[in-house]
Structure formats: structure tokens, C-alpha cells
Amino acid sequence: MQKITPFLWFDNNAEEAMNFYVSIFKNSKVVSVTRYGEAGPGPKETVMVTEFQLEGQEFVALNGGPRFKFTEAISLVVNCETQEEVDEFWEKLSQGGEKSRCGWLKDKYGLSWQIVPTLLGKLMQDKDPEKSKRVMEAMLQLDKIVIEPLKQAYDGA
């Protein structure tokens, strides 16, 4: 069991969200689904809590009702090695949601994600501050992050 596990509060669609996420990430699985019994507080046999893994990271999701909503104050970062990975996660996770700037999106459940090529961090941490600045300026022009313009900015092209 991992030491720290993200706990996600959904209104009443934790199982649907879990299945959506598990369908997108290859190394993922449903761990368990706990349903309400006679004592409630939810209707008997409806989902109370789900546990699942995405790329080995454990998550818990609760059907807690409409009291709390997700905000951009918390987001999940997906580190991508290729443009194909960026494209795939960007399109799949944003289905029914909302695309934003600089690799950020909200999925159809309101959870914020950042779809980021790992190369971005490497380029932005270059010891040459001018290169890093050009990469940052290029990234700020993008919605979905596209690797080629970042490389061009780094190279000064």
C-alpha cells in the first residue's frame, strides 16, 4: 500500500469516473468497489467507494454527494514521452470536458489534468536562461502542448 493516496470526491458517479480513467491508462485496474448496505447512508447497493490504480498510482473515489466540487487548485499531471502520448491523453481526457491553456484540461467530471511532455521540463531547466525563456514563451502560446515548437524555440529557430 502506498503511503499517500489521492482521495477524489464525486457527487454520484465515482464508479463511472473510475471506469473512464481505467479505460484511458494502459497500466490500470479496478481494485475494489464498495456498495452501501442496509445501514446507508446511501441507497442500498449503490456505490459508496471505489479503489483503482492508474499507471500504478492508487486512487480512492467516493460518492459523497454534491457538497464539494473539484477546482484547478489540484490537478493530476500526466508525463508523456512522445507527441503521440500527449495527443492521445489530451483527446481522451478532455472528451466531454474543457480544454484550456498550457496543457491543462478539465475532464467531464471536473477534475483538472496537465498533459505534459517530459521534454518540456528538460528544456525549461537549461542553464542558458535565454533558451529557457524562449521555451516558456512558446509554451504560453499553446493550448495542447506540442513538442516541435518547443524544440524550435529552444534552438532559437
Side-chain angles (χ1 to χ4, degrees):
M1 175 177 232
Q2 66 193 29
K3 190 77 152 171
I4 299 172
T5 302
F7 188 97
L8 307 174
W9 181 299
F10 292 87
D11 181 358
N12 62 1
N13 51 5
E15 185 175 31
E16 176 187 318
M18 172 192 66
N19 289 330
F20 176 68
Y21 301 142
V22 167
S23 75
I24 292 172
F25 293 91
K26 292 179 177 82
N27 180 26
S28 302
K29 66 180 180 179
V30 173
V31 175
S32 68
V33 176
T34 304
R35 298 182 184 281
Y36 288 108
E38 296 287 340
K44 183 179 176 184
E45 295 303 316
T46 61
V47 172
M48 178 175 58
V49 175
T50 68
E51 295 180 53
F52 57 101
Q53 291 181 0
L54 304 178
E55 298 295 338
Q57 171 70 48
E58 295 176 13
F59 291 84
V60 175
L62 167 74
N63 278 332
R67 184 172 182 178
F68 299 113
K69 302 289 182 206
F70 294 118
T71 75
E72 292 84 353
I74 295 289
S75 62
L76 302 177
V77 178
V78 181
N79 295 300
C80 301
E81 295 300 321
T82 66
Q83 187 64 52
E84 292 76 25
E85 265 192 304
V86 170
D87 296 346
E88 179 181 357
F89 288 121
W90 181 260
E91 291 307 318
K92 288 181 177 179
L93 285 168
S94 66
Q95 286 178 359
E98 178 183 328
K99 297 174 182 175
S100 190
R101 304 283 300 158
C102 304
W104 286 68
L105 63 85
K106 279 188 185 179
D107 67 28
K108 61 185 169 184
Y109 305 103
L111 185 59
S112 292
W113 297 80
Q114 296 178 59
I115 312 303
V116 181
T118 55
L119 181 64
L120 177 62
K122 294 173 187 166
L123 298 179
M124 301 237 340
Q125 293 172 7
D126 193 272
K127 291 180 183 178
D128 181 341
E130 192 55 41
K131 287 182 176 183
S132 297
K133 179 183 176 198
R134 289 193 309 260
V135 172
M136 173 64 85
E137 289 170 350
M139 192 254 324
L140 290 173
Q141 302 304 311
L142 301 171
D143 291 341
K144 173 181 71 176
I145 297 180
V146 182
I147 294 171
E148 196 53 40
L150 301 177
K151 286 181 180 178
Q152 290 172 357
Y154 180 83
D155 292 335

